[in-house]
Amino acid sequence: MSTPGSANKREPRRFISGVVEGFYGRPWTMEQRTELFKREEKWGLNTYLYAPKDDYKHRMYWRDLYSPEEAEQLIALISAAKQHNIDFVYAISPGLDVTFSNPNEVAALKRKLDQVKEFGCSSFSLLFDDIEREMCPADKEAFSSFAHAQVAITNTVYQHLGEPETFLFCPTDYCAAFCTPTVTQSSYLNTVGEGLLPGIDILWTGPKVVSNKISVESIEEVTSVMRRPPVIWDNIHANDYDPQRILLGPFKDRPSELISKLRGVLTNPNCEFYPNFVAIHTLATWCKATAEGGQRDVEMDAEEQDPYYSPQKALTLALTDWLQEFQSTAQPGGPCPPAARLKKESSDEEPMQTDMGESSYVPGPGDNPLYTAEPLTLEDLRLLSDLFYLPYEHGPTARAMLQELDWLKNNSAAAAAETGQTQEWCSRAQQFDDMCEAVVQMFNRLSNAPNRSILYDLYNYICDIKSGVGLARTYVKRLGGQGRPSFNVMNDDPEPWGFRGGLSGEFQRMLPCHGNRDLFKHPPMTAVYCIRPYCPADKVEVQRIFREMQKQQMAQPPLICDGLSAGEIPPSPQCALVLEDDIGMCGYALALTDAKPAAAKIQRAVSGSVFEDFPSLITIQVLARVTDPSPARRMVGQLLSSIRSSGSRGAFCELRHSDRRMLHFYTKLGSFTPLKMAGLPQDIITMGTGL
Ligand code: GDL
């Protein structure tokens, strides 16, 4: 039975803040969740949204009621949340297979939520994220749209449960990127906004699924469409989409001005429970950073723009507290404190080596000294956080390391060819080596820390970064002329850690440009580009770009590729792409898998051996307004991959000496090197790459 309308008489509702366990993969344990409630209470957060994607009865078997054993656990959990003043919100995701128009389905949903209500839960949530948008025939018949179907079932369930104080709805279009054509014009979101009863709050992840920044303007926009301020489901610290990443940087790039414009923020953090200390602690600091309640920060760094919240300071606060936690032995698998060690009996949870009973071995004069663990430091944790920072940003030390490696790589060959590496090179190589050593030391001290629960959650990641850094370190040593040949990173017969990443790594490396984006070289950009196959109707635009670019160069002597750009020679199949931005076409990339006929056409003499190694030709032009080199790089990558599939052994390009921009571009690509060709007109350079 419903208890109508209570939403209207309520006091101004408190800002919802806390954690959503909403990731894919292994759910947290009941103990971890109880620990979470303690932390949330201590740090001033107030909500926990139970939504583990891979929990059977949350999503896949949403209709199934809980067994007596499961019920007992949930009852205990809900009561633990209450004890710590945490609002336990039970979420259910029926969207995989629910038939909205079938009364039995609605009844099944009510029955399940009634059961959870009996466990003591009073806050609920219906989630429709990550599901098919297509309705079944029966629903199409009953509802004018998917949004109408979701609104109907949500309102029914909300009223059935007595209009709970907290009731959250997650739309299928839960971020701006999913809205078609735009947030304001999305008919889905407008229907949801108009149709959902006012006491129901709506979850929103921001501009994207994992939002780099969330601006005040974007929230004002979505608020007007939803007819209520959203509760942010923040995926900034989620890592379920990439098994090589864990996010240990501070909550960031959400201006604290947002607090007064939102209904709440719930973070959906890393799958590993213990490393979420930083994610949750910094979110809690952010939540306190209001103009009314917070201290205005008078020592604000020039880079920081938020007067009430500094991510760097929040991070230091979090890491300082986290350091204490690493010292704790009060968890399974940790070493015994010395006094307890004498009394403790062996337990199943203890690793073998700590099960030493009362052995307090004292080495003799000629014996090995005992291994002594150095304590972990705040600097170690700062480094750890820098190495595993945020989805779109590496921490300062990680950035510095990448920058140094890049410089050492780019400046080594020229210097070494003459008199060996310069003094500057050597001293920077040494500094790089020191930074790598700090990572190894951090790894050692972390592995020795008493709190094994945190360590085990972090272990794969720190091992991975230690190996990655180790490879880079060996490479720099080799550039500097040190290191045994067997250390050669490019060894013909490496150990498996010399070709890392498994099958997935192999797939990535096979894709053009390794199929990846390095954050260091390509920080998130704001312009959106589209690369699509060339079609005959594009000929005029391609010619226009060609002429525009030609204006800036001498047109004589002609290049082999000119006929291609001018539309006189058609490109080979699958070998033509165009680049567009929001203004229009802004570049193109064309190729011939066999360049011989085109060379003959302009009577260019090219030696047979060059055509043997590099039978194909590519040309690319990008207007000056495209300052980001990555779209051009991606086009070249895609062309080379098509040329390779045609069976060609290599490709070349021709450039004029005066075309500094393209020269720089091809040089930076790394794969193209200058080709020596007799009889080439003086101001033309040819560069080639094997495939
Ligand atoms: C998502 C999923 C979430 C997942 C996250 C990160 C929402 C609303 N849903 O799209 O379960 O953990 O991405 O991969 O964010």
Side-chain angles (χ1 to χ4, degrees), residues 22-24 53 129-130 170 174 205 209-210 233 235 238 240-241 268:
F23 46 81
Y24 291 86
K53 278 275 184 306
D129 56 327
D130 296 3
C170 182
Y174 52 82
T205 66
V209 176
V210 179
W233 166 313
N235 287 320
D240 54 0
Y241 53 84
N268 176 37

Side-chain angles (χ1 to χ4, degrees), residues 41 162 173 309 433 514 560 665:
E41 183 181 35
D173 294 351
Y309 176 76
D433 197 68
H514 281 193
I560 306 176
F665 171 75

Side-chain angles (χ1 to χ4, degrees), residues 421-453:
Q421 306 292 16
T422 61
Q423 212 176 1
E424 182 186 10
W425 196 96
C426 293
S427 103
R428 288 177 74 163
Q430 183 56 51
Q431 276 172 29
F432 181 74
D433 197 68
D434 293 345
M435 291 196 263
C436 295
E437 180 57 22
V439 174
V440 175
Q441 292 306 326
M442 178 267 285
F443 173 88
N444 291 341
R445 287 189 283 262
L446 259 181
S447 325
N448 292 330
N451 190 325
R452 309 315 277 173
S453 306

